[in-house]
Amino acid sequence: MPRPVMKTVRQQQLIDATLVSVARHGLHHTTINTISGLAGLSSGLISHYFGGKQGLIEATFKYLLDELKHALLSRILGKNLSPAERLSMIVESNFTELQRSTAATKTWLSFWSQAVHEPGLARLQHINNQRLYSNLAFSFKQLMAESDAVNCAKQTAAMIDGFWLRSALGSEPEQEFEEAQILCKAFIEAVIMQYGEN
């Protein structure tokens, strides 16, 4: 296997192992050894590819963010969607199978709590927040006055994040994630009916 391909494969193995380790042990008890053990790779590769545990943690967060972006792009690129349909796709991209998996939910929760203390994670979380808001605002602005669109985007972002969090912490996450998607879409429909020009 060519070296660049092998590097990419090994990096992804370490990111996948980090997700599993955080899910099993929590972020504070995830170590270079727990990650390398799960990946079946030398612990030295973590320093080689990521500069250490913190670099790998940030790379894992970036991976989840990239998966969010790709989930949305795969739903909207090359399709002639109405603004309302695009808003629906934004909801779906936040509730994909990966984003509601046990490994991802526990890792997101750990990242959010740690972002308060780690500038690198805080920066990534800010990017995530802004991306969700701007995607929502772009579609809402095509349906209503800009001031209303800004407020509706903020409310919808809070709705998506809030329902995702409640579902992740719920006693029956799978069912609650399904209900959360339905409720978020219903909220968007109600907002469009109230403020929409079309």
Side-chain angles (χ1 to χ4, degrees):
M1 189 177 295
R3 186 175 294 273
V5 175
M6 179 60 76
K7 175 182 177 182
T8 301
V9 168
R10 286 179 173 168
Q11 286 174 328
Q12 190 58 51
Q13 286 175 313
L14 289 166
I15 288 169
D16 292 341
T18 302
L19 287 166
V20 174
S21 182
V22 172
R24 289 184 185 175
H25 309 293
L27 188 57
H28 291 297
H29 296 291
T30 285
T31 65
I32 287 175
N33 289 335
T34 64
I35 296 167
S36 60
L38 286 165
L41 296 171
S42 164
S43 60
L45 288 175
I46 294 175
S47 294
H48 177 68
Y49 289 136
F50 301 101
K53 176 188 166 184
Q54 188 58 33
L56 177 52
I57 294 295
E58 291 186 17
T60 303
F61 199 1
K62 287 178 186 175
Y63 166 72
L64 290 176
L65 291 176
D66 284 344
E67 288 301 304
L68 267 177
K69 180 173 74 174
H70 295 316
L72 178 58
L73 291 176
S74 70
R75 286 166 168 78
I76 64 174
L77 283 182
K79 298 174 184 172
N80 188 22
L81 300 175
S82 69
E85 288 171 330
R86 192 174 184 279
L87 288 164
S88 183
M89 295 301 101
I90 294 170
V91 172
E92 289 183 14
S93 68
N94 280 271
F95 291 94
T96 61
E97 186 175 341
L98 170 65
Q99 299 297 343
R100 59 190 191 185
S101 68
T102 299
T105 55
K106 289 187 176 182
T107 302
W108 273 115
L109 294 171
S110 295
F111 283 159
W112 283 339
S113 64
Q114 196 62 24
V116 177
H117 309 287
E118 294 285 344
L121 294 180
R123 180 182 60 81
L124 291 172
Q125 181 55 34
H126 177 72
I127 291 170
N128 182 45
N129 290 343
Q130 285 301 113
R131 183 183 294 162
L132 175 58
Y133 165 75
S134 64
N135 279 326
L136 292 166
F138 174 80
S139 292
F140 277 125
K141 285 176 183 177
Q142 297 173 56
L143 296 167
M144 60 191 67
E146 184 169 352
S147 59
D148 291 331
V150 166
N151 290 333
C152 290
K154 289 177 181 178
Q155 290 173 333
T156 306
M159 186 76 66
I160 291 170
D161 287 342
F163 270 121
W164 188 96
L165 180 60
R166 290 174 67 91
S167 300
L169 296 173
S171 57
E172 297 181 47
E174 190 60 34
Q175 179 182 338
E176 293 181 46
F177 274 124
E178 290 294 336
E179 292 173 355
Q181 271 195 91
I182 293 168
L183 290 169
C184 287
K185 289 181 179 182
F187 174 78
I188 289 170
E189 289 175 10
V191 162
I192 292 173
M193 286 183 66
Q194 182 178 357
Y195 294 101
E197 297 172 354
N198 301 336

